[in-house]
mmCIF file of all heavy atoms in Angstrom:
data_model
loop_
_atom_site.group_PDB
_atom_site.id
_atom_site.type_symbol
_atom_site.label_atom_id
_atom_site.label_comp_id
_atom_site.label_asym_id
_atom_site.label_seq_id
_atom_site.Cartn_x
_atom_site.Cartn_y
_atom_site.Cartn_z
ATOM 1 N N CYS A 125 125.505 55.927 119.508
ATOM 2 C CA CYS A 125 124.813 57.122 120.007
ATOM 3 C C CYS A 125 123.871 57.684 118.948
ATOM 4 O O CYS A 125 122.718 58.027 119.234
ATOM 5 C CB CYS A 125 125.832 58.185 120.421
ATOM 6 S SG CYS A 125 126.586 57.898 122.029
ATOM 7 N N GLU A 126 124.362 57.793 117.720
ATOM 8 C CA GLU A 126 123.524 58.297 116.632
ATOM 9 C C GLU A 126 122.366 57.339 116.353
ATOM 10 O O GLU A 126 121.242 57.755 116.077
ATOM 11 C CB GLU A 126 124.368 58.474 115.360
ATOM 12 C CG GLU A 126 125.405 59.577 115.440
ATOM 13 C CD GLU A 126 124.781 60.964 115.453
ATOM 14 O OE1 GLU A 126 123.590 61.095 115.102
ATOM 15 O OE2 GLU A 126 125.490 61.927 115.811
ATOM 16 N N LEU A 127 122.639 56.055 116.449
ATOM 17 C CA LEU A 127 121.618 55.052 116.162
ATOM 18 C C LEU A 127 120.496 55.087 117.196
ATOM 19 O O LEU A 127 119.311 55.043 116.847
ATOM 20 C CB LEU A 127 122.257 53.661 116.126
ATOM 21 C CG LEU A 127 121.323 52.474 115.890
ATOM 22 C CD1 LEU A 127 120.536 52.639 114.595
ATOM 23 C CD2 LEU A 127 122.127 51.174 115.869
ATOM 24 N N LEU A 128 120.860 55.168 118.467
ATOM 25 C CA LEU A 128 119.841 55.199 119.516
ATOM 26 C C LEU A 128 118.949 56.429 119.364
ATOM 27 O O LEU A 128 117.721 56.346 119.476
ATOM 28 C CB LEU A 128 120.503 55.196 120.893
ATOM 29 C CG LEU A 128 119.551 55.199 122.088
ATOM 30 C CD1 LEU A 128 118.623 53.993 122.057
ATOM 31 C CD2 LEU A 128 120.330 55.241 123.402
ATOM 32 N N LYS A 129 119.563 57.569 119.105
ATOM 33 C CA LYS A 129 118.810 58.804 118.890
ATOM 34 C C LYS A 129 117.850 58.650 117.706
ATOM 35 O O LYS A 129 116.661 59.013 117.797
ATOM 36 C CB LYS A 129 119.771 59.954 118.623
ATOM 37 C CG LYS A 129 119.116 61.274 118.255
ATOM 38 C CD LYS A 129 120.071 62.170 117.471
ATOM 39 C CE LYS A 129 120.338 61.604 116.080
ATOM 40 N NZ LYS A 129 121.220 62.469 115.270
ATOM 41 N N THR A 130 118.359 58.098 116.597
ATOM 42 C CA THR A 130 117.537 57.968 115.386
ATOM 43 C C THR A 130 116.413 56.958 115.586
ATOM 44 O O THR A 130 115.288 57.169 115.103
ATOM 45 C CB THR A 130 118.426 57.557 114.191
ATOM 46 O OG1 THR A 130 119.506 58.484 114.072
ATOM 47 C CG2 THR A 130 117.633 57.548 112.890
ATOM 48 N N LEU A 131 116.691 55.864 116.267
ATOM 49 C CA LEU A 131 115.636 54.886 116.566
ATOM 50 C C LEU A 131 114.514 55.524 117.380
ATOM 51 O O LEU A 131 113.326 55.349 117.089
ATOM 52 C CB LEU A 131 116.221 53.690 117.334
ATOM 53 C CG LEU A 131 117.075 52.691 116.554
ATOM 54 C CD1 LEU A 131 117.740 51.717 117.517
ATOM 55 C CD2 LEU A 131 116.246 51.930 115.529
ATOM 56 N N ALA A 132 114.911 56.276 118.407
ATOM 57 C CA ALA A 132 113.911 56.906 119.276
ATOM 58 C C ALA A 132 113.062 57.916 118.505
ATOM 59 O O ALA A 132 111.835 57.971 118.661
ATOM 60 C CB ALA A 132 114.612 57.590 120.446
ATOM 61 N N LEU A 133 113.718 58.698 117.644
ATOM 62 C CA LEU A 133 112.991 59.717 116.881
ATOM 63 C C LEU A 133 112.178 59.114 115.733
ATOM 64 O O LEU A 133 111.302 59.782 115.176
ATOM 65 C CB LEU A 133 113.972 60.755 116.331
ATOM 66 C CG LEU A 133 114.683 61.621 117.384
ATOM 67 C CD1 LEU A 133 115.728 62.516 116.723
ATOM 68 C CD2 LEU A 133 113.671 62.464 118.146
ATOM 69 N N SER A 134 112.470 57.858 115.382
ATOM 70 C CA SER A 134 111.746 57.189 114.292
ATOM 71 C C SER A 134 110.519 56.432 114.778
ATOM 72 O O SER A 134 109.797 55.850 113.979
ATOM 73 C CB SER A 134 112.686 56.220 113.552
ATOM 74 O OG SER A 134 113.786 56.907 112.992
ATOM 75 N N GLY A 135 110.305 56.412 116.083
ATOM 76 C CA GLY A 135 109.099 55.782 116.614
ATOM 77 C C GLY A 135 109.304 54.445 117.284
ATOM 78 O O GLY A 135 108.339 53.840 117.779
ATOM 79 N N PHE A 136 110.529 53.939 117.340
ATOM 80 C CA PHE A 136 110.786 52.673 118.040
ATOM 81 C C PHE A 136 110.580 52.900 119.536
ATOM 82 O O PHE A 136 111.051 53.893 120.100
ATOM 83 C CB PHE A 136 112.202 52.185 117.768
ATOM 84 C CG PHE A 136 112.390 51.638 116.380
ATOM 85 C CD1 PHE A 136 112.701 52.482 115.312
ATOM 86 C CD2 PHE A 136 112.245 50.284 116.132
ATOM 87 C CE1 PHE A 136 112.866 51.981 114.024
ATOM 88 C CE2 PHE A 136 112.414 49.765 114.849
ATOM 89 C CZ PHE A 136 112.718 50.623 113.792
ATOM 90 N N SER A 137 109.905 51.965 120.175
ATOM 91 C CA SER A 137 109.535 52.195 121.573
ATOM 92 C C SER A 137 110.038 51.132 122.541
ATOM 93 O O SER A 137 109.804 51.230 123.741
ATOM 94 C CB SER A 137 108.002 52.280 121.689
ATOM 95 O OG SER A 137 107.404 51.090 121.211
#
Side-chain angles (χ1 to χ4, degrees):
C125 281
E126 292 290 344
L127 178 56
L128 181 59
K129 175 203 69 178
T130 306
L131 286 171
L133 294 175
S134 300
F136 287 86
S137 58

